[in-house]
Amino acid sequence: MSKLWLIRHGPTHAKSFVGWTDLPADLSDTAAITRLEAALPDVPLISSDLSRAINTGSAIQGPRPRLPHDPRLRETHFGDWENLSWAQIEQRDTDLARRVFETPGDIAPPGGESWNGFSARVHAGVAALPGETIVVAHMGVILALLQKALGCTAYEVLGHKIDPLSCTVIDCPDGLAGAWNCTRINHKY
């Protein structure tokens, strides 16, 4: 049996679409970090290669072994929409913006990734993990994995809230290549 403990990095306080921009995480809520670290199992920990995930992983690592940072676990690449607010994106690319988020699939922001391309990248990174693992990553990464566990559409999974420093747990009873189910979504310790 495998299990994925999916942790969203600490808050960035950005009010825009942040994908590959390397913003720092605010890790000042030491009580929340201590509770999260104490609740996690003693299994390997991996993070994306962006500093907000790396530093959150370091804050909750404790005695756990650390796997090399994996760029496949980065957030969605928003391309030309990076660091823009929804109002700015909608003003700039009204029709495209609606299609990207209302019918997620093969449509991508200009210079960015489609949901399907992003999800394939994330799943390739997770397929290489050694069974039970703590994954410190981004909201989009967690949603891409949650979509498989819930067996829902991309549009449906985008409706889930994933808070900073929350834990989502996915059980993989037949290993990472088998069927998945979710036992906890957006849990705060």
Side-chain angles (χ1 to χ4, degrees), residues 114-142:
S114 70
W115 176 263
N116 289 346
F118 162 69
S119 185
R121 169 174 55 84
V122 168
H123 281 276
V126 168
L129 295 177
E132 190 165 356
T133 308
I134 298 166
V135 178
V136 182
H138 312 272
M139 183 173 78
V141 170
I142 295 168

Side-chain angles (χ1 to χ4, degrees), residues 17-58:
F17 284 75
V18 178
W20 287 17
T21 301
D22 201 10
L23 292 182
D26 174 357
L27 300 175
S28 63
D29 189 348
T30 56
I33 291 168
T34 299
R35 287 190 307 272
L36 180 57
E37 191 276 327
L40 295 171
D42 188 17
V43 299
L45 183 146
I46 191 170
S47 69
S48 90
D49 65 341
L50 296 174
S51 66
R52 59 190 181 268
I54 292 169
N55 294 336
T56 301
S58 294

